[in-house]
Amino acid sequence: RGAALWPALGSAAPHKIGQLEAREREARVTAAQRARKVERERTKALGQLEEAFRQAALPWPPAEADGSGPQLDYAGVLRGQCLDTVGCSGYLPATHLAHAPSLAMLCVRCGCECSRHEVLRAPECPPANGAAE
């Protein structure tokens, strides 16, 4: 008598889910958690970049680079759009921050590391006149 369960007002029967539905839900939850983590890291990185630019007496946000095309990262790899951020139109390196070398790998537009931007191939240069092929 004392251990009987009483249905609550508006309660419904338990919803049973299958393994496929459980896996899909787990994947959605994991993806949402990853997105929130990436966003927290981006916000933190952009705050650090802003502070470093202000310390160096540089304007924030920085002006667009000459030729708004793809930019080279610190290792000389041509980088394109961010794989994590929709609003990032392409990698823009944090230049002129000698006092904060740990920020050299970050994109000024989105705050993500250069490795999170697509790798582009450098355009083929035609051979110089008279050069052997």
Side-chain angles (χ1 to χ4, degrees):
R1 247 173 25 180
L5 295 176
W6 293 89
L9 289 176
S11 65
H15 177 70
K16 295 181 181 179
I17 60 173
Q19 284 184 334
L20 178 62
E21 190 177 346
R23 286 188 189 123
E24 288 173 351
R25 180 185 168 124
E26 184 177 345
R28 284 193 311 271
V29 168
T30 301
Q33 288 172 339
R34 184 187 185 302
R36 284 192 299 270
K37 179 182 177 185
V38 166
E39 187 59 31
R40 280 192 310 268
E41 290 171 355
R42 275 182 5 88
T43 303
K44 181 180 176 183
L46 285 172
Q48 291 172 340
L49 282 168
E50 181 178 3
E51 180 64 27
F53 269 77
R54 299 214 188 278
Q55 286 177 358
L58 296 171
W60 179 261
E64 292 292 319
D66 295 335
S68 60
Q71 300 287 318
L72 296 175
D73 66 6
Y74 70 98
V77 177
L78 195 62
R79 298 287 179 170
Q81 293 182 334
C82 185
L83 302 172
D84 288 336
T85 310
V86 176
C88 181
S89 60
Y91 180 74
L92 183 62
T95 55
H96 310 300
L97 294 181
H99 67 286
S102 63
L103 300 177
M105 300 185 329
L106 299 179
C107 174
V108 174
R109 288 188 180 120
C110 66
C112 295
E113 291 185 3
C114 56
S115 62
R116 296 306 309 152
H117 289 75
E118 64 184 347
V119 177
L120 302 175
R121 291 188 318 160
E124 296 292 327
C125 296
N129 291 340
E133 293 185 20

